[in-house]
Amino acid sequence: PDLTFSFINRTFTEMFGYTMQDIPDKPAWFKRAYPDKAYREQVVSRWETYGKGAAKIGEVKPITLSVCCKNGLRKTISFRTVIMENGRHFVTYADITRQAQAQEVLKESEKKYRTLIDNIQDGVMLVEKDRFLFVNEAMARITGYRVAELIGMDFTSVVAPEDVPTVVDHHRRRQA
């Protein structure tokens, strides 16, 4: 409640580089861990909201933040805080930097994939259980339907009636 830290374990110092002497209280931690003033103000606001009744005693509140370590390295940290009956906060933390980086790479990959699929002139579809699960805009243009109309539709409904047996046979062999 008085914003001072009672205890920091050895792992905290190994992970961030800070000791109790470096960060005797929350204001010192905020200033060092979040040197960018605008970001620091956001972080402080989130913690203040949490501390002022947004959480109940014993309720675990996770928060993920970018932290600047003593050596200048940035890490993505998942903090989990519990307010104890005496009003003190018990905080655990995990370095999720690698997971966050992997997530960012995946987002970029998905963005590139989406751009490619959305801009290709060929119809692209994903069929599951004989129904369209995904179609791109080109497929919608080719069939004369909107994307939303095609999703869930039986894929053979856009095939010329005389070609349905051939297309179904080809589809079944591909599936096998």
Side-chain angles (χ1 to χ4, degrees):
D2 67 357
L3 302 181
T4 62
F5 294 121
S6 302
F7 175 75
I8 294 175
N9 68 8
R10 189 172 1 124
T11 303
F12 181 94
T13 300
E14 290 168 4
M15 187 180 295
F16 301 111
Y18 300 116
T19 64
M20 286 285 287
Q21 290 74 33
D22 297 322
I23 53 164
D25 53 35
K26 267 186 162 180
W29 163 252
F30 287 144
K31 192 167 187 172
R32 290 177 183 249
Y34 314 107
D36 176 75
K37 187 179 179 190
Y39 186 65
R40 180 172 56 245
E41 288 172 358
Q42 290 175 13
V43 170
V44 169
S45 175
R46 288 175 75 183
W47 281 109
E48 284 175 348
T49 300
Y50 173 74
K52 290 180 181 171
K56 298 177 181 100
I57 292 173
E59 180 182 11
V60 176
K61 282 288 188 178
I63 185 172
T64 300
L65 299 168
S66 175
V67 173
C68 183
C69 299
K70 189 173 183 176
N71 64 5
L73 265 169
R74 289 211 161 275
K75 294 183 179 181
T76 302
I77 305 297
S78 174
F79 292 96
R80 296 176 61 82
T81 303
V82 176
I83 296 179
M84 300 185 299
E85 287 183 7
N86 63 7
R88 292 180 178 220
H89 294 192
F90 181 78
V91 182
T92 60
Y93 47 88
D95 182 350
I96 61 166
T97 305
R98 281 188 168 162
Q99 295 95 311
Q101 289 168 341
Q103 191 80 15
E104 201 54 43
V105 167
L106 182 59
K107 276 184 192 175
E108 274 303 308
S109 176
E110 288 174 356
K111 186 177 171 185
K112 287 177 187 174
Y113 164 79
R114 173 60 65 191
T115 300
L116 174 68
I117 294 301
D118 286 346
N119 291 300
I120 194 169
Q121 296 304 308
D122 296 328
V124 176
M125 67 187 128
L126 179 60
V127 175
E128 185 176 281
K129 297 181 181 171
D130 296 341
R131 303 220 171 261
F132 289 118
L133 191 61
F134 168 84
V135 296
N136 68 348
E137 286 293 334
M139 185 67 180
R141 268 193 318 279
I142 291 166
T143 62
Y145 290 93
R146 290 179 300 132
V147 169
E149 292 173 316
L150 287 168
I151 303 302
M153 185 185 287
D154 185 304
F155 82 98
T156 61
S157 62
V158 298
V159 176
E162 65 273 13
D163 293 332
V164 169
T166 303
V167 170
V168 168
D169 180 58
H170 182 72
H171 176 69
R172 299 278 181 256
R173 282 188 280 131
R174 289 190 78 136
Q175 292 298 315

